[in-house]
Amino acid sequence: MTDPIADMLIRITNASKVSKESVHIPYSNLKAAVAKVLHQEGYISGVDTKNGNLSLKLSYINKQPKVQGAKRISKPSRRVYMGVRDVRPIKSGYGLMVLSTPAGVLSGKDAKSKRVGGEVLFEIW
């Protein structure tokens, strides 16, 4: 697999669309950090690590999935970096941008408040 973050996003969006309760993803430190950010922002309701897998409990509001879609921005073939001045709201504030910064993996608003830029991993809404 050449892009594990894209695989993680696809698994989350596909499981959300068919109303699965949870999704299992192979563990890595980067995926665990991304899952932590998604949990803090309410896109997933729980994160559990067991047997070398991440188990993510998906969030629903009135039986509608919280995750409607995702877009991978920085890819292995083309890295996209953004300064703190370029960080902007996604979907008029209803979405989330996730960045890999020197301060760790952060959401767009956390990166803006900490005044750090970095590699834009993906957008999710």
Side-chain angles (χ1 to χ4, degrees):
M1 176 179 353
T2 60
D3 193 359
I5 298 297
D7 178 62
M8 178 182 182
L9 293 175
I10 289 169
R11 287 182 191 217
I12 291 171
T13 54
N14 288 344
S16 293
K17 288 178 182 177
V18 295
S19 301
K20 293 280 188 178
E21 184 178 317
S22 64
V23 63
H24 302 288
I25 300 167
Y27 182 86
S28 77
N29 289 334
L30 180 60
K31 291 182 208 174
V34 168
K36 181 180 172 189
V37 170
L38 293 177
H39 178 63
Q40 288 172 348
E41 297 295 328
Y43 286 93
I44 55 177
S45 60
V47 180
D48 190 26
T49 305
K50 59 177 118 173
N51 299 334
N53 286 325
L54 282 173
S55 179
L56 309 178
K57 291 188 73 166
L58 303 174
S59 292
Y60 295 92
I61 300 172
N62 296 330
K63 297 187 179 182
Q64 294 295 318
K66 178 77 173 170
V67 176
Q68 297 290 324
K71 180 180 179 186
R72 182 77 158 113
I73 303 298
S74 188
K75 301 173 184 174
S77 61
R78 184 175 148 249
R79 302 292 183 183
V80 177
Y81 296 93
M82 192 174 283
V84 68
R85 292 185 182 119
D86 300 325
V87 175
R88 64 197 185 287
I90 305 302
K91 299 281 185 184
S92 301
Y94 290 104
L96 176 71
M97 179 186 294
V98 177
L99 295 97
S100 176
T101 69
V105 177
L106 300 173
S107 67
K109 63 183 177 182
D110 288 343
K112 204 163 182 72
S113 68
K114 290 185 179 184
R115 307 227 11 99
V116 292
E119 180 183 351
V120 183
L121 296 176
F122 61 91
E123 298 172 352
I124 192 167
W125 58 90

